[in-house]
């Protein structure tokens, strides 16, 4: 999901699936289940609040958004002020990735994927079966 038509075209050309967003409220238009990992990589943070809320409130095992520590705190504060439950906001990771200060896109992607795999392994471990989000 992206508001960038060029990104959608590139993904489609590579054989992938992408949907063009026209309004911020469309950002929460995706299926979520306990096997979902949701990562927001928007530079315009207005696009991410609905998607993060939707994923965290509906049980995605991983929910995170790109940005600095300050951006993450601003995001949390805004979501709480807009009535999102504290327990839902607490599920949203930010900054994301095992190496949170990376500015290289490839390193950030690998770092986030490693964090998702780590969370997945903890979620699927036999002792955590009763702790599913």
């Amino acid at each position: 999901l992206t508001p960038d038509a060029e990104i959608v075209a590139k993904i489609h050309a590579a054989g992938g699936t992408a949907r063009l967003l026209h309004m911020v409220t469309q950002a929460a238009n995706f299926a979520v289940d306990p096997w979902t990992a949701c990562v927001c990589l928007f530079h315009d943070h207005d696009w991410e609040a609905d998607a993060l809320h939707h994923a965290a409130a509906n049980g995605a095992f991983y929910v995170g958004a790109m940005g600095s520590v300050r951006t993450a705190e601003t995001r949390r504060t805004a979501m709480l002020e807009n009535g999102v439950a504290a327990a839902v906001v607490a599920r949203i990771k930010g900054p994301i990735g095992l190496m949170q200060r990376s500015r290289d896109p490839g390193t950030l992607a690998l770092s986030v994927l490693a964090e998702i795999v780590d969370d997945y392994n903890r979620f699927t471990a036999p002792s955590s079966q009763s702790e599913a989000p």
Side-chain angles (χ1 to χ4, degrees), residues 3 8 11 26 31 45 66 68-70 72 81 86 101 122 131:
V8 171
I11 291 170
Q26 292 176 299
H45 297 293
M66 181 175 66
S68 66
V69 171
R70 185 178 335 155
E81 288 173 353
R101 295 179 191 255
R122 273 191 264 116
E131 300 172 18

Side-chain angles (χ1 to χ4, degrees), residues 39-41 62 64-66 93-98 100 108 112 115:
V39 180
C40 286
L41 303 172
Y62 179 94
M66 181 175 66
K93 293 179 184 269
I96 55 174
L98 297 180
Q100 297 174 350
L108 177 61
V112 172
E115 184 176 54

Side-chain angles (χ1 to χ4, degrees), residues 81-94:
E81 288 173 353
N82 285 318
V84 177
V88 171
V89 174
R91 295 198 60 239
I92 300 169
K93 293 179 184 269

Side-chain angles (χ1 to χ4, degrees), residues 29-77:
N29 186 13
F30 59 95
V32 177
D33 63 25
W35 305 105
T36 300
C38 175
V39 180
C40 286
L41 303 172
F42 293 106
H43 287 285
D44 182 354
H45 297 293
D46 291 343
W47 287 96
E48 66 193 12
D50 286 349
L52 292 168
H53 180 194
H54 177 68
N58 288 291
F61 79 89
Y62 179 94
V63 183
M66 181 175 66
S68 66
V69 171
R70 185 178 335 155
T71 298
E73 188 53 41
T74 300
R75 178 186 305 117
R76 285 184 194 90
T77 300

